[in-house]
Amino acid sequence: MAGALRPMEAASQARLRGSRCAGACSVTACPAEESCPRCGGPAEPVALSGAGTLWTWTVQRYAPKSPPYQAPSGGFRPFGVGYVELPEGVRVAAVLDVDLEAIRIGMPLELGPGEDGGVPRARALAAGDARKEGG
């Protein structure tokens, strides 16, 4: 398909959705929730920043059990997973589309929704990239 976006490129053009407490505590959550996880009050939908920093990470070295996991045509390959801390104060679990040797805590990452509403995906963001400043 000429001109088709790769999954991460498409994800970077979409916004990750979360929710924010409409009450005094103003907690942000991801994924979006109808009520605040802290005080139980109502929450409102919010578009989250498209970038943050890697808070912590690990490597998934074994294929998940099937079903529902379906191995890609090239077979399973280890991948990074971690928490990306956003400016809104929420940490979002994400698959890290970054070379395993390059992953570092504190590195800037661009974050987008996963394919078909699945786990969000993150990729390295250049230090001077304008998207780092809150999407």
Side-chain angles (χ1 to χ4, degrees):
M1 270 188 219
L5 294 175
R6 292 186 309 233
M8 192 60 214
E9 289 173 343
S12 70
Q13 292 182 2
R15 294 298 298 258
L16 196 60
R17 307 297 295 170
S19 60
R20 182 172 294 128
C21 178
C25 73
S26 299
V27 166
T28 302
C30 184
E33 299 182 19
E34 291 184 18
S35 59
C36 174
R38 180 181 292 161
C39 72
E44 300 171 336
V46 63
L48 299 173
S49 299
T53 57
L54 185 60
W55 185 71
T56 194
W57 65 284
T58 191
V59 177
Q60 175 70 39
R61 297 195 185 277
Y62 302 97
K65 291 186 179 183
S66 197
Y69 176 76
Q70 295 178 357
S73 59
F76 175 80
R77 291 192 157 171
F79 59 93
V81 292
Y83 282 100
V84 179
E85 188 167 35
L86 301 179
E88 294 87 355
V90 65
R91 294 177 186 140
V92 179
V95 171
L96 305 176
D97 291 329
V98 178
D99 179 86
L100 296 178
E101 299 299 318
I103 299 174
R104 300 287 182 266
I105 290 175
M107 71 185 298
L109 295 169
E110 179 179 22
L111 188 64
E115 296 176 35
D116 300 324
V119 177
R121 300 186 77 89
R123 68 176 178 181
L125 185 61
D129 196 318
R131 289 174 289 188
K132 182 179 173 186
E133 304 301 326

